[in-house]
Amino acid sequence: KEIGNLKQLEKLWLMDNQLTSLPKEIGDLKQLKELDLKYSLLTSLPEEIRNLGENVVRIDGLFGSSNNSGLGDGGSGFERN
């Protein structure tokens, strides 16, 4: 949960892991520009991830066959990759 303390973090690569969830504190990473979740076991994302806002230019692994996050496009502004 200390991940929320990494206020200046711009890139977070969590690909190819056994994670099944992310902490809600991920929404505190206001400087985050890239989030890579390819090949993870995530089935959903915390609502707080929407707090990342328009700074995030790329989130990989959400819509492909590599996982099924449940984060729909629903106006989130996140790029599909």
Side-chain angles (χ1 to χ4, degrees), residues 4-73:
N5 294 328
L6 302 173
K7 304 290 186 195
Q8 300 303 313
L9 189 67
E10 293 185 5
K11 296 180 181 181
L12 182 58
W13 297 337
L14 299 172
M15 67 281 234
D16 199 17
N17 65 64
Q18 301 297 308
L19 292 175
T20 58
S21 65
L22 293 176
K24 65 180 182 177
E25 289 82 7
I26 196 138
D28 296 335
L29 304 177
K30 303 297 186 197
Q31 299 301 313
L32 193 66
K33 293 181 172 65
E34 290 185 29
L35 178 59
D36 193 333
L37 302 169
K38 288 189 297 268
Y39 310 110
S40 69
L41 299 177
L42 295 172
T43 57
S44 65
L45 294 173
E47 271 299 311
E48 290 80 3
I49 201 161
R50 295 189 186 278
N51 295 341
L52 297 176
E54 295 180 11
N55 282 343
V56 176
V57 294
R58 182 179 184 128
I59 296 183
D60 284 339
L62 293 183
F63 301 96
S65 60
S66 56
N67 74 26
N68 181 18
S69 71
L71 180 66
D73 133 309

